[in-house]
Amino acid sequence: MTAALSGSPAAVEAGPVTETGVVRKVAWRLMPLIMICYMFAFFDRINISFAKFQLQSDLGFSNVAYGLGASMFVVGYVIFEVPSNLFLYRVGARRWIARIMISWGIATALMIFIRSEWHFYALRFLIGAMEAGFAPGILYYLTLWFPASHRGRITSFMFVASAFSGIFGAPVAGLILGGLNGVGGLAGWQWLFLAGGLPCLVLGMLVLARLDDRIVDAKWLSEPEKALLSARIAHHNRDIGDHSLLGAIRQPGFLMIGLIYFLLQIGSYGLNFWGPDLIKTASGAQAAAVGFLTAIPYICGAISMVVIGRLSDASGERPKFVAGLAIAAALGFFGAGLFDKHIVPLMFALALLGAGIVASIPAFWTLPAKLVTGVGAAGGIALINTLGQFGGIVSPVMVGWVKDLTGSTTPALYGIGVLCLAAAGLALFAMPASLRRSDRAV
């Protein structure tokens, strides 16, 4: 990892108790497992895009049916997301996150049994319902352990795992689809869903063994370390109310950032679901080659996340970074639409798109904790994520409908680019003062 996680935990224990040292120790304890879990969560969302060609060929699904099935994941997710995060607040993150991982792993593995469009829709809905609350639950969990002045980098590390899903997941998916197709009587896409689901059962058990719900429960922290960390988090939260969910919704700017996230997610799902399709169409390459090329936008996104996380923490002016990344994503979408038949310029456009839209998500998630804490944060983060996930319903269906209607994804790509510009405009000019205020450590 980068500087925020540099140094060994043992070295931290040997030195004096400082905020940087304690944060580094907590990061080493929590973040590797959280990153691996999130990597599988993100892979669970995008593996359907890698399976698209084989799935449609084997089962005869149209682009609209594929887009609708992809969106059913989001339907299940948004219905159960807020209740899931409220349960997490009540029963503790450790047990609830473990439950989420085990149940979605089982549901993902069951995808090997789909034979019709209705099977496809039902299981995608079930996977979304089982995974509901995972990402916002983790985001809320991180606010309990890290002061605001470190959250840009910490949140970036979490979302770097999503880039890893693209960097490593895309080539691995290509190899599975090509190399295991027909092995054991299963198609390559069936092996892909098994590879995405079964490891989550093991990870769920590790969460139970490794995570603690609260700072006070952490036996691996000394009493002075617990006191310092709790005091720093309380200091950064001193001007933020401990609201109910309804109180959080009434906070100025709450629904505004929900709208921004909705627009960003339209862009994110546009890349996740249709990036491989664009590359396949422009290059005519086989599945393995498409997988390796698909990794490029996510590599750029991973680099951008780490760099922007550090710069964002240094300045504390979060909305400006969200806006800049959204503008980069918009330019990438415009370029992808313009060069959708030419693989080399298309890859440059997708690289810019990845650097913008992939990094915009962790940059965005530094904003909600500036508004609410407590149960308002648990439910509020989930609600914002729910509002954003509607973008995951709109984007795949919209692009699939446009492609079936026109034979090209270009008009939809231009439309998504315009929506990214709208997100940038809202972040720059419509944020309330509480969100524009710098949270840089003093």
Side-chain angles (χ1 to χ4, degrees), residues 85 93 119 200 212 269 366 402 430:
N85 237 37
H119 294 160
C200 296
D212 295 292
Y269 276 88
T366 60
V402 169

Side-chain angles (χ1 to χ4, degrees), residues 34 119 123 132 154 187 189 205 222 283 305 337 346 371 373 440:
I34 286 174
H119 294 160
L123 271 174
I154 292 300
W189 60 267
M205 299 305 296
S222 68
S283 68
M305 270 193 271
L346 173 65
L371 290 178
T373 61
R440 182 179 58 183

Side-chain angles (χ1 to χ4, degrees), residues 102-399:
I102 292 169
S103 61
W104 108 53
I106 293 172
T108 297
L110 289 176
M111 283 286 288
I112 67 172
F113 296 111
I114 64 172
R115 296 293 181 271
S116 70
E117 291 181 7
W118 288 107
H119 294 160
F120 184 39
Y121 302 153
L123 271 174
R124 289 292 295 171
F125 177 88
L126 180 63
I127 294 169
M130 293 299 98
E131 191 181 323
F134 175 77
I138 292 291
L139 288 164
Y140 168 69
Y141 183 67
L142 295 180
T143 68
L144 304 179
W145 287 88
F146 296 99
S149 56
H150 296 269
R151 287 180 194 154
R153 281 162 288 181
I154 292 300
T155 306
S156 293
F157 293 144
M158 171 182 161
F159 282 95
V160 161
S162 66
F164 285 165
S165 283
I167 295 169
F168 300 113
V172 169
L175 293 172
I176 290 173
L177 290 168
L180 295 182
N181 191 31
V183 174
L186 298 178
W189 60 267
Q190 291 173 306
W191 281 110
L192 184 63
F193 290 122
L194 285 175
L198 296 182
C200 296
L201 308 184
V202 177
L203 289 171
M205 299 305 296
L206 287 175
V207 166
L208 282 174
R210 188 74 176 169
L211 298 189
D212 295 292
D213 289 317
R214 301 170 299 168
I215 293 173
V216 70
D217 299 325
K219 296 179 180 178
W220 42 273
L221 288 176
S222 68
E223 292 304 319
E225 288 171 334
K226 293 179 184 179
L228 175 62
L229 190 60
S230 298
R232 293 306 298 165
I233 293 173
H235 173 74
H236 283 287
N237 291 345
R238 66 192 184 280
D239 297 323
I240 305 173
D242 188 354
H243 301 283
S244 64
L245 176 57
L246 182 59
I249 295 171
R250 291 172 175 170
Q251 288 295 297
F254 183 90
L255 295 178
M256 175 62 66
I257 61 177
L259 175 58
I260 292 172
Y261 194 54
F262 167 76
L263 297 173
L264 293 177
Q265 284 291 67
I266 289 178
S268 179
Y269 276 88
L271 173 63
N272 295 341
F273 284 118
W274 296 99
D277 185 73
L278 286 168
I279 293 170
K280 172 71 174 177
T281 302
S283 68
Q286 297 300 311
V290 171
F292 280 102
L293 289 174
T294 301
I296 292 175
Y298 296 97
I299 293 172
C300 296
I303 295 170
S304 180
M305 270 193 271
V306 173
V307 172
I308 295 300
R310 292 179 64 84
L311 294 176
S312 175
D313 277 348
S315 75
E317 297 179 355
R318 314 295 188 176
K320 293 181 180 178
F321 289 92
V322 174
L325 293 167
I327 292 171
L331 295 176
F333 275 113
F334 295 147
L338 185 62
F339 300 111
D340 65 331
K341 299 294 190 297
H342 308 281
I343 187 60
V344 174
L346 173 65
M347 292 311 304
F348 278 103
L350 291 177
L352 178 61
L353 170 53
I357 201 64
V358 173
S360 71
I361 305 302
F364 169 85
W365 279 115
T366 60
L367 297 175
K370 294 165 73 74
L371 290 178
V372 289
T373 61
V375 67
I381 288 173
L383 181 57
I384 290 170
N385 199 51
T386 297
L387 295 173
Q389 293 305 316
F390 280 107
I393 300 174
V394 172
S395 188
V397 174
M398 178 184 73
V399 179

